Amino acid sequence: MTRRPEDQPGRAGRGTPPPRRYPWEDDEYRPRPRDTRPYPTPGRPPEPEPRPQPRAQPRARARLQGAPPPPKKLTVTRVALYRTRQLTTRGVAAFRRAAHADGAKQSGLSSLTYAVMLNYAADAAMAVALANTLFFSAATGESRGRVALYLLITVAPFALVAPVIGPALDRVQHGRRVALAASCALRVLLSIVMALNFDNWGLYPAALGSMVLSKSFTVLKAAITPRVVPPEITLSKTNARMTVFGLAAGGVFGLVAAGFANLFGSPGALWFTAVLSLANAWFCLRIPAWVEVTEGEVPTSLRARPRKPRQALGRSVVVALWGNGAIRMLTGFLTLFAAFVVRAQTEGEALLQLLLLGVIAGAAGVGSFLGNAVGARLHFGSPDQVVIGCLVGALATTVVAAVLPGLITAAAVGLIGATASSLAKISLDAVIQDDLPEESRASAFGRSETILQLGWVFGGALGVLLPTEYWVGFTVLSALLALGLAQTIATRRGGSLVPGLGGDRPLKPTPVTP
C-alpha cells in the first residue's frame, strides 16, 4: 500500500500547501486598545491624573483608628504588650457597642447596666472573701443550737426586711437614684467592718447587712428599670441583657477578688469589695434624672380586691409569681445546702471543697447565662406556660437527684435550676409588661422582686436546717416544689390552695386611675 506524501512521517507539509496567514493575524498588525479617556474641552487644560496618596505610617494609622500605636522597636516583650493593649482596646470597644445598642445610651439603660454589673461584681468579691470562713462551717459538726443561731443571724432577718422594701418603694416618689447610691455607700462601710473584724463574731452582722443591702439594690433596680427601657426592645429582653452583663462582670471581678484573696488573704478581697461598692455608688448617681419622675404611678396589690385605690395583679401575673417563687426556693436551697454538704463530706480538705463547690457553682452560672441568653433572643407566646414548664423541669431534676444522690446530680440541679429560673423570670417580666398598664409596672416589678427574694430566703433556710445528706435535702425540696407546682396550676385554672392569693381574678385587670 502506497502512502500519500502527506501521510508519511516527516513529510506532512510537502504534499499540501502551508496554511495561508493573513497580515492582520500578526502581532504588528493587531489594533491597539482604544483610549477611552474623554477628550479635553477646547480652551480648558486636561485634568491631571490623580496621584496616589502616600500610605500612612503604622503608628499614625493606628492613632486614627483609635488603637494603640505599635512599638518603634520590635522586641518580644513590647510586641506582647502591644497585642495585649490592642486586644483590650477592641474588647472595650465591643463591650461599649453592646451596652449602648438599641438606644440604650440615649434612654439611660447603659448607666443602669453599669451599676448592675458592679453590684454583681461586689457580690462575687464578697462571696470569694467569705468562702472559707465560719459561714460554711457553722453547720458542720455543730449542735442544733449553733445551727439555729447561725440561721437566726444570717437568714431570718431577710424575711423581716424584704416585705418592707416593696411598700416603701410605693411611698418613695423621688430619690430612687440616691437610694441606690446609699445602699452601695453603706456596703462600703460594712465591707471595711468585715475586713477589720474578719476573725471574730463582728463579721456576721456586717455580712448580713451587706446581703440585705444587695437584695435591696435588686428590688430598687427592678422598680427603676421600666423608666429606662428603650423603645427598640422589650422589658423582658432588657432585664435579660442586664443579667447577662452582670453575670459576666461577676465572673471577671470574682477572679480578680480571688487573686487579692490569694495575695492578701480574705480581708484583701473585702477591701476590693469596698472599692467596687464605692465605684457603684458613683455609677448610681449617673443614672438619668428622669427615673425620678413618678407622677401618675398607681401602686399594685397582691389581693384580688384591694381596699385602697391600687392596681390588682391579674391571674397571669400571679401564676408567674407562684412559679418563679418556687424556682427561687430551689436556687436559694442549693446555694447553702451544697456548701454545707460539701463541707461535711470533705472535712479538712480545703482544695477538694473548693473544687466541688466550683463544679456546682459553675454549673449554676452556666445555666443562668444560658437561660438569659436564650430568653433575650426568643419570644414566648404563652409566658405562663413557659413558667409551668420550667417548674416541671426543675421538679424532675430534683427527683432524679433524690433518687441518685451525688455531686453529678447536684450539679445537674444547679444547671437546670438556674436555666429554669432565668427563663421563668423573663416570662414574668413579659407578663407584667403585657398585662399591667405602664403607670403600675414599676410598683409591680418592685413587689415581684420582693416575693422572689423571699422565696430565695425560704430555700436558703431549708438548706441550713436540713441534714447534710443529698437524698434527704432533695427529697424535701421535691415535695415542696410539687406543692408549688400544684398551686401554680390551680391558680392558672382560677383556683388556689392559699386563700386570697390564687386565680380568683381576671386574666388582665382593669386599669385604675390615680
Side-chain angles (χ1 to χ4, degrees):
M1 180 178 179
T2 305
R3 294 184 177 180
R4 292 181 299 176
E6 58 269 21
D7 296 334
Q8 297 180 11
R11 302 182 62 180
R14 296 181 183 179
T16 57
R20 187 176 180 180
R21 186 174 182 85
Y22 297 96
W24 56 77
E25 295 182 359
D26 296 335
D27 293 338
E28 62 184 15
Y29 291 100
R30 291 182 181 275
R32 296 181 179 179
R34 183 181 177 182
D35 190 0
T36 58
R37 292 179 298 176
Y39 291 99
T41 306
R44 180 179 178 183
E47 297 181 1
E49 296 183 0
R51 297 181 180 180
Q53 296 293 331
R55 190 175 182 181
Q57 297 297 325
R59 294 178 62 85
R61 187 168 63 253
R63 192 177 297 109
L64 291 175
Q65 296 175 354
K72 296 181 179 179
K73 184 178 180 181
L74 297 180
T75 61
V76 175
T77 304
R78 291 182 178 180
V79 171
L81 291 176
Y82 167 70
R83 293 296 297 173
T84 302
R85 291 178 56 193
Q86 188 180 37
L87 293 175
T88 302
T89 303
R90 292 179 180 177
V92 171
F95 163 72
R96 290 177 62 86
R97 286 195 302 270
H100 297 167
D102 300 322
K105 184 177 181 180
Q106 291 77 11
S107 67
L109 176 61
S110 58
S111 300
L112 182 60
T113 300
Y114 297 150
V116 171
M117 291 176 63
L118 284 176
N119 186 64
Y120 272 85
D123 289 343
M126 190 179 74
V128 169
L130 302 179
N132 199 27
T133 65
L134 293 176
F135 259 91
F136 293 148
S137 62
T140 57
E142 302 287 347
S143 63
R144 289 301 181 99
R146 290 290 299 275
V147 175
L149 178 62
Y150 174 82
L151 178 63
L152 179 65
I153 65 176
T154 56
V155 178
F158 278 127
L160 301 177
V161 175
V164 180
I165 301 175
L169 283 176
D170 296 336
R171 298 184 180 91
V172 175
Q173 296 298 319
H174 297 283
R176 290 178 178 177
R177 292 183 304 163
V178 177
L180 278 177
S183 67
C184 299
L186 290 175
R187 290 192 71 180
V188 175
L189 298 178
L190 293 177
S191 298
I192 295 175
V193 171
M194 285 188 288
L196 298 177
N197 298 273
F198 190 76
D199 295 327
N200 54 55
W201 280 92
L203 174 69
Y204 284 93
L208 169 66
S210 184
M211 290 180 182
V212 172
L213 290 173
S214 176
K215 302 300 181 183
S216 303
F217 180 95
T218 304
V219 176
L220 288 167
K221 181 266 299 181
I224 289 177
T225 302
R227 297 292 183 181
V228 295
V229 175
E232 288 82 2
I233 56 178
T234 61
L235 189 56
S236 57
K237 291 186 177 181
T238 298
N239 285 324
R241 175 189 290 186
M242 286 194 295
T243 304
V244 169
F245 276 111
L247 291 172
V252 172
F253 286 98
L255 292 177
V256 177
F260 276 96
N262 190 27
L263 293 176
F264 308 106
S266 294
L270 290 172
W271 284 104
F272 180 63
T273 305
V275 173
L276 292 176
S277 300
L278 182 62
N280 196 11
W282 181 74
F283 273 104
C284 290
L285 294 177
R286 289 178 59 87
I287 298 175
W290 56 75
V291 302
E292 306 287 356
V293 180
T294 58
E295 184 179 357
E297 284 192 359
V298 178
T300 56
S301 176
L302 295 175
R303 297 178 178 271
R305 287 170 286 277
R307 301 175 182 175
K308 298 180 180 180
R310 292 175 175 265
Q311 178 66 64
L313 299 180
R315 186 190 306 175
S316 299
V317 177
V318 177
V319 169
L321 282 175
W322 276 111
N324 275 270
I327 298 175
R328 285 298 180 94
M329 178 182 62
L330 165 63
T331 57
F333 170 83
L334 190 63
T335 301
L336 295 180
F337 181 74
F340 289 143
V341 173
V342 168
R343 187 83 181 206
Q345 295 183 355
T346 58
E347 191 69 31
E349 301 179 10
L351 184 59
L352 182 59
Q353 292 173 1
L354 184 62
L355 178 62
L356 297 180
L357 287 177
V359 170
I360 299 176
V366 171
S368 182
F369 189 89
L370 180 63
N372 283 283
V374 172
R377 293 180 177 272
L378 298 181
H379 176 73
F380 302 109
S382 300
D384 51 350
Q385 294 182 0
V386 174
V387 173
I388 294 176
C390 292
L391 183 53
V392 170
L395 174 60
T397 310
T398 55
V399 170
V400 172
V403 176
L404 302 173
L407 177 65
I408 297 178
T409 52
V413 171
L415 176 64
I416 302 300
T419 305
S421 177
S422 301
L423 290 176
K425 179 60 170 64
I426 293 173
S427 301
L428 172 62
D429 296 341
V431 170
I432 291 178
Q433 185 177 13
D434 293 340
D435 291 3
L436 291 177
E438 184 178 358
E439 58 269 12
S440 299
R441 289 173 188 169
S443 177
F445 273 104
R447 289 185 177 274
S448 64
E449 194 64 40
T450 301
I451 294 173
L452 299 186
Q453 298 299 336
L454 286 174
W456 191 95
V457 168
F458 182 72
L462 287 177
V464 175
L465 291 176
L466 292 177
T468 54
E469 294 290 340
Y470 278 122
W471 71 271
V472 175
F474 286 122
T475 300
V476 175
L477 182 63
S478 299
L480 293 176
L481 287 179
L483 289 176
L485 178 60
Q487 170 64 16
T488 304
I489 295 176
T491 303
R492 189 169 185 267
R493 295 178 177 178
S496 178
L497 302 180
V498 181
L501 296 177
D504 54 340
R505 60 187 75 202
L507 293 176
K508 291 186 178 182
T510 304
V512 177
T513 56

